[in-house]
Amino acid sequence: FLRLVRNGVPILEQLASSIAAKAAPEQVLSVANDIRAPLGWMVKASTKLGYAGITQRINNMLETLPSSEGFSAETAEKLVDNIVSFLSDIRALGETTGSDLGGESLAKMLARTLRENLDQLLNEILAHLDVFESRADLADEDLSDQISQQFSRVNSYLTSLYPDMHLDLPLLFVDAYARAARRQLSIYSEVIQLTRDSIAFIKDLIASSEKSPLTQPVFQTQHQRLGQRMKEYLWGNDKTGETPADAVRHFVANLEIPTELAELLSPDNARELMELIQEGANAFLIMAHLESDEAVAGAFLAWLQKRGSVITNRSIFVDDMSWYEMLFISKADRQSIETELKELDPAQKLIQFKAQLGQNLTQASAKTAATTPKAKAESKSVAAAKTAAAPPTSNVIRVPGEMLDQFMNQIGEMVLVRGQLAHVIADQRLRDMAMTLRRDSDGASMDSAQNGLLQKLLELIDEQGRRLQETDALIQGALSRLQDSVMGLRVVPVEMVFKRFPRMVRDLAQAQGKQIRLELLGQEVKIDKAMVESLADPLLHMVRNSADHGVEIPAERKAAGKPEEAVIRIQAEQQGSRILIKVSDDGKGMDPERIRRKAVERGLIKEEESQLLSKEDILKFIFRAGFSTADVVTETSGRGVGMDVVRTNVMRLGGHIQLDSEVGKGSTFTMQMPLSAAVQEVLLVNAARQTLAIPGRYVAELIEINDFDVQTVKGRTAILLRGNFLPIVRLDELLGFTQQVDDEHRFVVVLSDGQRTLGVSVSEFVGRQELFTKDIHPRLSALPGVGGASILGDGRVVLILDGAAIYRLAENVQAQGHMRLPHAAAVTKTPELAA
């Protein structure tokens, strides 16, 4: 069989090469005919050996081979996918048998095609996301299923391109969208944006020149951050089962499953595990080596099926041998399990019982059971009695808010120190030197004593590296739990903000002769206390806007067939790491045509350009400074002041706002806010040999330019981006840094605040990252463009720029003259552009 594979791989290379080169159909058909017979022989041999999976993949290739009827692009795509799957088999066979089957040669031939297909596939997913966002309820089972399948192909391509790279991010999206297709998960705009961020990350990954880019600290950090965000979303929005996700996670944590194995548990796995244990099953940790003895392996697999079920497992290497570490669930007791495993493998060389997990689950089960609706109902009276009997100050300690802030800052310092530790551990220099020494010592002439000492030193380095990584993982877990606990102390119910509005709405309704009922939902949702005051002002403007602009007087509502009493609803809900706050009314809504005409009248846009705008783009004019559709100036509206302030304040807090309105039915303002204002997602860039952070909420896209792309339009520097001129400025010039002669600005960060778009050129993109914002000295914060500061993993201080201030500084720079580029001769200025 191996000989057949080795002989057939070169023909597969020719086939892949002809497909990549888009050769003539007759040429592709000729090569396909050459491979038919070898593939047929491989099928017979693999069937004889019992390689069911390989047999199926070879048959798939045979079915997709071109015939005389033609060869479509879709068929070519399927054929490439089948060859990629077969390549994975070839690699596994080569590693198992120690044979060179030509897999690497085939991989190199496929690499270019895979990169092109991968880029096209990612763009198709982005297009599907656009369609997804256009859905009013963000629900489409067919589209979700299609995106899930596409991410499965993305994972297959990445595995083929980088066989040594463990990238689990695509598989998380396979799981998420597959759940959405089964209506087990809600898809919100948060996960759509997270999908876009992950696609951008994957594109950056495949654009890297590194052979294994995920070993780079920047990519490692991004991968961990995106993966953690996705896992949190999966847990926070899971709709299967009645038990809350937090209760399930708490239950699983009490099992004390090894961290690496626990991370593999999906919400479904965890719920199944909890249900089985609550029904009386026990959890065991078992390790098995199944490759050395077929008889023992067969008997063990049969025993597993008979005795219980494996919830999850992972492969680990012990002394260069592949073992399975598995989480096994059975109603049998520990003594029975240990006895039966010893009967299967008396020497315990291939099967090992490691531990019984969660022996303290009696208490954990009681806690989890108490979270079910039935248990809650039964325990209400008992809880009420205990509360009444307890003294008023029982278990309550009053702590000044400033002390909690200091505590949070100190935890932030610990997070930064842990980041520095991770940076040190990720440094490859010591490992590379150890590998060099190990390689050189093989051929070096030294006595046995020296060689023994060197080998012990190298083993000590490897062991030290492993222990450091394990310690880092423990510190990270402890810090994460500590940070969550402190955030629990800092948060307060959003009710503190909501309770300000009933009286205000009542007074407005009486003053304007309207009947308005205010509904407050989700008041128990908690937010960072630092955001309470900052949220009050935006909400105040939106509620006033609904009461004054949106709601009609009773006579108008009656004529329109509506109840005379209008409803304004303020609703809060938590989605993962973000808070969603909606202010909606059932009033007359906003007329896009009227807003468009007002925008044209005020000179905000030309008539012909306004005709091309979508409804969403027209509604965005509401957030322009000085814009108002009110015909009469009243005490609460008509001045054109309010919604621009709302948008500015929301963006300053790290959130964003959107408006949805339908004529005659009402309007809804939706704010998405971070759970805490202390953590910001930023884009790190280099300019003037400085690393700076741009808040991620302002970053629309990243592009690379050449000197000839830069032009001068009406005295200002700009580039042509998708048919429109985009003004650009140099970041170092903007902030007053001394410009470096050899500092070429070929990269542009496109910034957008929802109304204005600006290009900021930098010398290099570093990557996206979440930073813990630190308090800075007032004199430093007073500098133009500085919004905060943080510390990177390598200990460097980085300034976080103020997005709103960048626009103001850009206006000043462009008013003084166009941007100076390193190669001024390449800047073109034509009469047509100037006109």
Side-chain angles (χ1 to χ4, degrees):
F1 177 64
L2 295 180
R3 186 172 65 253
L4 288 171
V5 171
R6 193 180 298 112
N7 293 339
V9 164
I11 310 177
L12 280 178
E13 285 182 33
Q14 294 177 28
L15 183 59
S17 176
S18 60
I19 294 172
K22 295 182 173 56
E26 56 271 14
Q27 182 180 344
V28 178
L29 181 60
S30 175
V31 182
N33 289 333
D34 291 340
I35 194 64
R36 284 183 199 279
L39 288 178
W41 299 332
M42 286 184 214
V43 167
K44 292 180 181 178
S46 62
T47 303
K48 185 72 174 176
L49 291 169
Y51 295 161
I54 296 178
T55 302
Q56 182 61 50
R57 276 183 279 279
I58 299 173
N59 279 323
N60 289 341
M61 275 193 289
L62 282 167
E63 290 173 6
T64 50
L65 284 176
S67 63
S68 56
E69 283 78 16
F71 187 50
S72 65
E74 184 180 357
T75 306
E77 195 176 76
K78 288 182 180 178
L79 181 55
V80 169
D81 287 354
N82 289 328
I83 295 176
V84 168
S85 299
F86 187 54
L87 173 60
S88 177
D89 295 327
I90 293 173
R91 281 175 164 155
L93 284 168
E95 290 174 3
T96 305
T97 61
S99 306
D100 180 11
L101 301 178
E104 292 311 307
S105 176
L106 178 58
K108 289 179 182 177
M109 180 59 67
L110 283 170
R112 180 181 174 185
T113 304
L114 291 185
R115 290 179 191 277
E116 291 176 355
N117 288 4
L118 188 55
D119 189 63
Q120 180 182 346
L121 192 56
L122 293 172
N123 289 334
E124 288 175 4
I125 297 176
L126 289 174
H128 287 325
L129 294 178
D130 291 337
V131 176
F132 223 124
E133 286 184 311
S134 67
R135 301 282 195 270
D137 58 353
L138 288 181
D140 189 319
E141 290 84 356
D142 292 338
L143 197 57
S144 296
D145 184 59
Q146 195 168 354
I147 293 175
S148 175
Q149 293 180 25
Q150 287 175 320
F151 267 114
S152 180
R153 291 180 61 203
V154 168
N155 180 70
S156 178
Y157 287 175
L158 288 172
T159 302
S160 180
L161 283 171
Y162 308 107
D164 299 326
M165 193 168 74
H166 302 291
L167 189 70
D168 59 358
L169 193 58
L171 292 176
L172 291 173
F173 287 103
V174 171
D175 183 33
Y177 285 97
R179 289 169 182 272
R182 299 191 299 267
R183 288 189 172 274
Q184 294 176 351
L185 183 75
S186 297
I187 295 294
Y188 295 108
S189 55
E190 177 188 356
V191 78
I192 292 178
Q193 184 57 48
L194 183 54
T195 308
R196 294 184 189 279
D197 293 343
S198 299
I199 288 175
F201 165 72
I202 293 172
K203 286 193 171 190
D204 290 342
L205 205 68
I206 60 178
S208 171
S209 58
E210 297 288 337
K211 185 177 180 181
S212 186
L214 205 57
T215 58
Q216 300 301 306
V218 172
F219 287 124
Q220 280 182 349
T221 303
Q222 283 183 280
H223 183 234
Q224 290 172 0
R225 177 179 57 80
L226 291 168
Q228 188 59 36
R229 284 173 59 192
M230 193 61 217
K231 289 173 184 176
E232 291 295 332
Y233 186 89
L234 286 172
W235 275 103
N237 296 277
D238 181 62
K239 297 196 296 186
T240 56
E242 296 181 358
T243 309
D246 287 344
V248 177
R249 299 178 79 171
H250 180 74
F251 185 93
V252 172
N254 276 275
L255 283 173
E256 299 176 349
I257 303 170
T259 305
E260 297 81 357
L261 204 59
E263 287 180 351
L264 300 175
L265 287 173
S266 68
D268 282 348
N269 295 145
R271 288 183 190 280
E272 180 187 2
L273 175 61
M274 186 181 75
E275 289 168 4
L276 288 171
I277 290 179
Q278 287 180 338
E279 290 171 3
N282 296 311
F284 303 102
L285 194 65
I286 298 175
M287 286 182 60
H289 174 64
L290 305 178
E291 296 176 4
S292 298
D293 191 315
E294 186 176 349
V296 172
F300 175 67
L301 293 175
W303 178 85
L304 286 177
Q305 291 182 335
K306 176 184 175 183
R307 257 322 199 171
S309 60
V310 175
I311 295 294
T312 189
N313 67 87
R314 68 178 184 126
S315 298
I316 58 175
F317 284 91
V318 180
D319 297 329
D320 294 328
M321 292 174 61
S322 176
W323 287 71
Y324 287 101
E325 182 183 46
M326 59 191 71
L327 178 59
F328 180 67
I329 308 299
S330 175
K331 291 194 174 182
D333 58 26
R334 174 173 180 158
Q335 184 176 355
S336 300
I337 295 293
E338 285 191 275
T339 301
E340 291 172 12
L341 289 178
K342 286 180 181 177
E343 290 174 358
L344 292 173
D345 180 25
Q348 299 183 46
K349 291 183 179 180
L350 304 178
I351 304 172
Q352 298 177 4
F353 178 91
K354 302 300 290 184
Q356 180 175 352
L357 302 174
Q359 299 190 52
N360 60 341
L361 275 178
T362 303
Q363 180 181 2
S365 299
K367 287 183 179 179
T368 305
T371 64
T372 62
K374 181 180 178 182
K376 285 182 179 179
E378 292 173 349
S379 62
K380 273 186 178 178
S381 58
V382 178
K386 286 184 177 179
T387 303
T393 57
S394 174
N395 295 327
V396 175
I397 301 175
R398 296 187 180 275
V399 178
E402 293 78 12
M403 185 174 293
L404 286 179
D405 292 340
Q406 291 175 11
F407 192 19
M408 192 66 180
N409 286 335
Q410 290 173 5
I411 291 178
E413 296 283 356
M414 295 168 66
V415 171
L416 295 172
V417 171
R418 186 260 153 193
Q420 294 177 22
L421 174 62
H423 183 80
V424 172
I425 293 173
D427 192 341
Q428 291 286 333
R429 290 178 296 177
L430 183 61
R431 298 184 189 88
D432 293 342
M433 184 62 69
M435 289 178 64
T436 303
L437 283 173
R438 185 176 281 111
R439 186 172 56 251
D440 293 344
S441 66
D442 292 339
S445 56
M446 59 177 71
D447 58 43
S448 58
Q450 290 176 325
N451 190 54
L453 286 173
L454 180 59
Q455 294 303 322
K456 286 183 179 180
L457 174 62
L458 294 174
E459 290 172 3
L460 184 60
I461 291 173
D462 291 339
E463 182 185 356
Q464 195 80 348
R466 285 194 299 271
R467 293 181 64 182
L468 278 172
Q469 289 177 341
E470 293 170 359
T471 304
D472 179 57
L474 292 173
I475 292 174
Q476 183 181 9
L479 270 179
S480 178
R481 291 190 293 273
L482 183 59
Q483 200 168 357
D484 289 343
S485 299
V486 177
M487 280 304 301
L489 297 176
R490 281 175 57 98
V491 296
V492 294
V494 77
E495 177 189 7
M496 293 186 64
V497 184
F498 285 6
K499 68 183 181 181
R500 307 180 182 192
F501 301 119
R503 181 176 178 180
M504 184 198 75
V505 171
R506 187 171 61 250
D507 292 344
L508 276 174
Q510 290 175 355
Q512 299 182 12
K514 298 177 179 179
Q515 297 179 21
I516 304 176
R517 183 175 81 252
L518 180 66
E519 293 183 355
L520 303 176
L521 304 177
Q523 296 188 73
E524 71 281 358
V525 172
K526 295 185 177 181
I527 58 171
D528 191 337
K529 71 180 184 65
M531 297 177 65
V532 170
E533 291 301 322
S534 303
L535 267 179
D537 197 43
L539 281 172
L540 175 68
H541 281 295
M542 285 188 284
V543 173
R544 279 181 173 174
N545 191 76
S546 293
D548 198 23
H549 281 287
V551 172
E552 314 96 321
I553 60 175
E556 290 178 1
R557 292 181 63 84
K558 189 174 181 180
K562 298 180 179 180
E564 293 185 3
E565 184 184 57
V567 176
I568 295 178
R569 181 179 293 111
I570 310 177
Q571 180 178 359
E573 61 179 291
Q574 183 174 345
Q575 293 181 1
S577 61
R578 299 187 74 80
I579 300 294
L580 207 67
I581 299 180
K582 295 182 180 180
V583 178
S584 58
D585 63 73
D586 62 348
K588 58 188 174 184
M590 299 185 189
D591 185 358
E593 178 59 24
R594 186 182 177 201
I595 295 173
R596 185 192 67 79
R597 289 198 302 268
K598 284 278 187 181
V600 173
E601 289 173 13
R602 295 178 180 273
L604 299 177
I605 192 171
K606 294 179 181 179
E607 174 68 29
E608 58 271 21
E609 293 176 353
S610 70
Q611 297 289 346
L612 303 176
L613 294 179
S614 64
K615 174 186 171 183
E616 290 75 16
D617 291 332
I618 292 173
L619 291 177
K620 287 179 182 177
F621 282 111
I622 293 296
F623 299 103
R624 287 286 185 96
F627 187 89
S628 175
T629 57
D631 296 322
V632 180
V633 176
T634 68
E635 227 177 359
T636 56
S637 66
R639 300 178 178 84
V641 177
M643 296 314 298
D644 61 315
V645 176
V646 170
R647 178 178 54 80
T648 302
N649 287 347
V650 169
M651 291 197 70
R652 185 178 292 120
L653 290 171
H656 69 270
I657 184 171
Q658 65 184 42
L659 166 63
D660 184 29
S661 184
E662 191 169 345
V663 177
K665 294 188 178 180
S667 304
T668 300
F669 291 90
T670 304
M671 293 191 302
Q672 279 200 22
M673 312 295 295
L675 199 58
S676 170
V679 179
Q680 282 198 59
E681 184 188 33
V682 300
L683 172 69
L684 296 176
V685 299
N686 285 338
R689 299 178 185 173
Q690 303 278 339
T691 299
L692 302 164
I694 301 174
R697 58 187 178 275
Y698 288 96
V699 179
E701 64 178 300
L702 309 177
I703 58 176
E704 185 176 357
I705 61 172
N706 295 309
D707 294 336
F708 55 79
D709 293 327
V710 183
Q711 307 174 27
T712 303
V713 182
K714 296 183 180 179
R716 297 189 175 188
T717 305
I719 60 172
L720 195 63
L721 181 63
R722 292 188 288 276
N724 296 312
F725 283 108
L726 173 72
I728 61 172
V729 292
R730 285 179 63 121
L731 185 58
D732 53 5
E733 182 181 3
L734 206 64
L735 301 175
F737 285 111
T738 303
Q739 295 185 33
Q740 306 293 325
V741 177
D742 58 343
D743 192 5
E744 292 189 353
H745 279 217
R746 296 188 176 275
F747 303 96
V748 174
V749 183
V750 181
L751 304 181
S752 174
D753 64 354
Q755 301 297 326
R756 299 166 293 180
T757 305
L758 173 70
V760 176
S761 71
V762 298
S763 57
E764 187 181 15
F765 300 142
V766 178
R768 291 181 180 269
Q769 192 170 330
E770 281 189 347
L771 294 180
F772 192 93
T773 307
K774 304 289 295 176
D775 293 330
I776 57 177
H777 194 279
R779 291 180 64 183
L780 183 59
S781 62
L783 291 174
V786 176
S790 186
I791 302 175
L792 300 179
D794 56 5
R796 288 182 296 154
V797 175
V798 59
L799 291 179
I800 301 174
L801 304 182
D802 183 347
I806 291 177
Y807 288 98
R808 294 194 298 271
L809 292 171
E811 290 173 1
N812 295 335
V813 169
Q814 291 194 326
Q816 297 168 7
H818 62 76
M819 181 183 76
R820 296 180 292 277
L821 289 176
H823 303 289
V827 178
T828 61
K829 183 173 182 179
T830 66
E832 292 79 9
L833 286 175

